[in-house]
Each structure stands twice: as structure tokens, then as C-alpha cells.
């Protein structure tokens, strides 16, 4: 896909579906879009975590799927939190997303921590087949506001 990302607000008011280019340029765009989508949650830690995990999913989709077909970012806001999905054209499941294999990543390697971060920081994560490949997703809960002690 050449040119800017295609932005399309889905029919549900609390759901975004966005096509992104199959290049590394999609990562900062996806982070910004997630930040914008989650702004109404007013939850700084949730937004920061969602941006980080989204960047990991988008980077994996760009790096590990062949071709130039756009990838798709889906952000759904729910009363209990949010779910972020990244769709790509490769039907193969992502490495060890839900079931770690082989122990912790080698501390000397540059790669291999993204799925570990997703498992560790999300409330749940997984993947599912789609008509054109797969969707890899994670969920984050809304953190209840802290009560301030009365003076």
C-alpha cells in the first residue's frame, strides 16, 4: 500500500478499524491511533500499555508476513477496558503467544520479547483465523479510580 493509512470508523461508535501500510511506518501510526482511540478512557497507564503492545503486534505483522497487503488495526472500547487486534494475511499462528516454549528469551538477542510482553502485560491475549489470514489480539482492563483519603 502506498500513501497514507486509510482511516475508517466502523459502524460501532466504540470500535475503530484502520488499514495500515505493510511497512515499519505503520508502527508509530498505530501507536498514535491507539492513543487517540483510548483518550476517552482517561487512563494513562492503560493507554501507555496499549500503545506498547500495539507496537509489538504491528511490528510482528510487518516483519513476519510476506507481501505488501495492508495490515489492519482494530481497536474496541468496552466498559471493562479495550481490545486491540492486528489482522494480517498469514494464517500461521504467532509463535508462543499463549503458550511459552523454550524458556525465557536470550538476554543477548535483539528479538524475542514482544510476545512475552503481550502475555505479561495484557489481561488476556490470543489469535484467531480470519477469512484472509489471522487476527492477533490482546485485552486490557480499565483500572478503577483510586479513592483519595478524606482530610
Amino acid at each position: 500500500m502506498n500513501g497514507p493509512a486509510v482511516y475508517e470508523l466502523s459502524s460501532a461508535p466504540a470500535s475503530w478499524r484502520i488499514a495500515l501500510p505493510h511497512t515499519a511506518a505503520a508502527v508509530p501510526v498505530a501507536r498514535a491511533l491507539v492513543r487517540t482511540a483510548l483518550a476517552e478512557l482517561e487512563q494513562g497507564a492503560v493507554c501507555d500499555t496499549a500503545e506498547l503492545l500495539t507496537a509489538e503486534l504491528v511490528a510482528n505483522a510487518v516483519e513476519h508476513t510476506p507481501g505488501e497487503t495492508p495490515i489492519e488495526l482494530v481497536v474496541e472500547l468496552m466498559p471493562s477496558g479495550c481490545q486491540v487486534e492486528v489482522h494480517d494475511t498469514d494464517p500461521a499462528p504467532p509463535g508462543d503467544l499463549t503458550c511459552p516454549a523454550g524458556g525465557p528469551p536470550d538476554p543477548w538477542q535483539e528479538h524475542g520479547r514482544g510476545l512475552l510482553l503481550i502475555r505479561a502485560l495484557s489481561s488476556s491475549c490470543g489469535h484467531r483465523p480470519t477469512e484472509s489470514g489471522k487476527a492477533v489480539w490482546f485485552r486490557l482492563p480499565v483500572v478503577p479510580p483510586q479513592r483519595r483519603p478524606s482530610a
Side-chain angles (χ1 to χ4, degrees), residues 1 4 7 10-11 18 21 41 50 52 58 66 68-69 74 76 78 83 85 106 109 135 138:
M1 175 178 178
Y7 305 97
S10 73
S11 60
I18 301 124
L41 288 180
L52 172 66
V58 171
E68 295 181 11
T69 303
V74 179
E76 184 178 357
M78 303 170 286
Q83 177 169 307
E85 292 185 346
D106 182 342
Q109 295 298 314
F138 66 85

Side-chain angles (χ1 to χ4, degrees), residues 1-3 19-23 61-62 65-72 88-89:
M1 175 178 178
N2 294 330
L20 298 171
H22 194 269
T23 67
V62 168
T65 58
E68 295 181 11
T69 303
I71 57 175
E72 192 171 50
D88 63 50
T89 58

Side-chain angles (χ1 to χ4, degrees), residues 57-138:
L57 288 184
V58 171
N60 281 352
V62 168
E63 183 176 342
H64 298 293
T65 58
E68 295 181 11
T69 303
I71 57 175
E72 192 171 50
L73 174 67
V74 179
V75 180
E76 184 178 357
L77 302 181
M78 303 170 286
S80 60
C82 69
Q83 177 169 307
V84 176
E85 292 185 346
V86 174
H87 297 228
D88 63 50
T89 58
D90 185 356
D96 57 354
L97 179 63
T98 57
C99 183
D106 182 342
W108 300 105
Q109 295 298 314
E110 291 183 16
H111 301 287
R113 291 173 189 79
L115 296 179
L116 175 65
L117 282 172
I118 292 164
R119 282 194 318 271
L121 298 177
S122 67
S123 59
S124 60
C125 60
H127 59 88
R128 62 181 175 79
T130 64
E131 287 183 16
S132 61
K134 71 173 170 299
V136 183
W137 57 270
F138 66 85

